[in-house]
Amino acid sequence: MIEINLDSRSDLYSIEPIGLQTELVESLSSYLIRVAYEHNLSVGHLFNKMIFPEMNKSYLERASAYGGNRFYEKAKTVNGYMEIAVELAWTVEKLTSRDDLINLTLYNLKEFIPLRNLLKDTLTWCPDCIRTWEKDGEVIYYPLIWHLKPVEICKKHSRFLVDRCPICKKKVDIIRRQMVPGYCPNCSSILAQESESKRINLEKFRWELYVYENVKDILSINHNKIDVQSFKHTFINKLKVINEERFSNNVAGFSSHLSIPKSTLRYWLYGQNFPSLDNILKICFKLNKEILDFLLESQKLDVNIFQINDKRVINNKTKQTRKPLNYDVIEKKLIEHLSTDTPISMNSVAKVIGRDKRVLYRNFPDLCKQISRRYYDYIKEKSELRIKRLKEQINLAFNELENEGLYPSRRKIEDKINKNGVLKEKVLQDYWKFLLVQSGYEYKNRRTYLNDEFK
């Protein structure tokens, strides 16, 4: 007689991740979207009912109970190596009875690649890949490499990645409550459709190809072979040696060659900071080296093997020369903005004047602070008036529903004032609960509301 151990069953389907230990390994965010799809659940329902309760995080449980987009707005971190990525991977491993989902994040790169400028804020994809997968009946997914900010191309199809839906022209979030792999969550169009392609600059594409090849290498390498501390130490030391022997300790000349600010290069040379992935790639490109040369042979490198690469270009941006400041004209414009009917932010003022906000703050601190304060007071006043107006509408709708003999539920009040979801806003939700208490109704998780809080 065969014994079946029911305790060994997983809570979620143990779906096989795509592309493990390859350059096109699936991202964790993509895996989660696929898991929801395979269970015929929305992504939001999967998180609210299965994942968030297991993670035991109060802010996630609040988002699940009361709404809010904090988790979804920061969803790019799901594919990184910070605490949320690690805990989410471990939680889903527990629910699926798998032990390899941490490999769908950048956890293995944690010790030698800084998080700065590492992950894209929104999704990018290759329409040709999605079209091919759909045509061949293969699983549509989003590889981890597409989420890395330095990567802008699909090597297989020799094209740039796309960052907007070709139909609705909107960007696509990393994770949304309603999401299906390969389809736009905004308009439900398939992302395989062709959009306006970027005009290809051959030099730019060579650079992008170099980036892709190097990122591919570090994603697919066996990370047990990497001596992290040796890599960091050797990388900085070689920069020092090159600066000394090739540029005679002229940091300005070296930084100009690398197309990197002098202050940033000094931080690296003094060991106060370590370059981000995009800067590591720029440096290696300029020095005619691959990242793996540092990662795997860091102890054997000799400065003599470096060849300064002057022919290749990293980007085709023209270097802008600094315009001299016309102090009188700028001061006059700043003063004018202090007397406009409708205040605007310092960011907007800087754009109107055509100067960087930091430059304006450095040279005209008092005027800038006055403009900023004036705008802050204006926004605060508008916000308070908006809340006051909405409270009046809520109160009116509440009384009308009571007069009609109906329970003044959140949904009914929102329908009454024609503002769907408005009571998810905490201050307004608290005001509605205060009205319930005042009218003698009971509700879940009742708390005490002071009368003067809502006067």
Side-chain angles (χ1 to χ4, degrees), residues 57-117:
K57 295 284 185 183
S58 58
Y59 77 94
L60 293 177
E61 291 175 357
R62 285 197 302 272
S64 175
Y66 303 112
N69 294 318
R70 179 180 171 187
F71 170 78
Y72 298 97
E73 289 170 352
K74 303 293 183 181
K76 71 174 183 178
T77 59
V78 164
N79 299 313
Y81 53 65
M82 300 297 283
E83 181 183 355
I84 182 65
V86 177
E87 291 195 7
L88 186 55
W90 287 346
T91 299
V92 181
E93 283 183 345
K94 177 183 175 183
L95 293 171
T96 57
S97 297
R98 301 196 64 87
D99 61 1
D100 50 9
L101 300 186
I102 194 66
N103 297 316
L104 308 186
T105 71
L106 298 175
Y107 182 74
N108 291 323
L109 306 183
K110 179 178 181 179
E111 297 301 327
F112 65 95
I113 299 295
L115 205 56
R116 298 188 312 278
N117 298 321

Side-chain angles (χ1 to χ4, degrees), residues 2 41 89 96 101 137 173 183 186 195 217 226 310 365 371 375:
I2 300 175
L41 295 173
T96 57
L101 300 186
D173 295 332
Y183 289 81
N186 301 302
S195 60
D217 288 342
I226 300 174
D310 288 316
I371 292 171
Y375 179 69

Side-chain angles (χ1 to χ4, degrees), residues 281-341:
L281 289 165
K282 287 179 184 178
I283 293 168
C284 290
F285 184 77
K286 284 284 188 176
L287 301 180
N288 262 338
K289 299 300 297 178
E290 308 294 325
I291 285 184
L292 288 190
D293 292 333
F294 286 98
L295 290 175
L296 301 181
E297 305 175 31
S298 56
Q299 297 299 330
K300 303 176 184 178
L301 288 177
D302 186 341
V303 70
N304 293 324
I305 69 174
F306 287 100
Q307 297 178 354
I308 302 300
N309 189 348
D310 288 316
K311 295 182 180 180
R312 292 177 174 178
V313 296
I314 291 178
N315 57 58
N316 55 0
K317 294 179 181 178
T318 55
K319 188 174 182 180
Q320 295 181 344
T321 55
R322 294 184 179 180
K323 296 183 294 183
L325 288 176
N326 189 327
Y327 289 89
D328 293 336
V329 172
I330 293 176
E331 184 177 30
K332 183 180 177 182
K333 289 182 178 179
L334 290 173
I335 292 173
E336 288 174 357
H337 280 289
L338 279 172
S339 57
T340 55
D341 293 335

Side-chain angles (χ1 to χ4, degrees), residues 385-399 417 428 431 435:
L385 287 173
R386 171 183 169 272
I387 295 296
K388 181 180 178 181
R389 188 163 53 249
L390 285 171
K391 283 183 176 180
E392 291 172 352
Q393 294 177 23
I394 291 168
N395 188 41
L396 182 61
F398 189 98
N399 292 332
I417 64 177
L428 298 175
Y431 180 67
L435 293 177

Side-chain angles (χ1 to χ4, degrees), residues 336-352:
E336 288 174 357
H337 280 289
L338 279 172
S339 57
T340 55
D341 293 335
T342 304
I344 61 175
S345 67
M346 264 309 299
N347 281 328
S348 300
V349 170
K351 288 179 182 178
V352 171

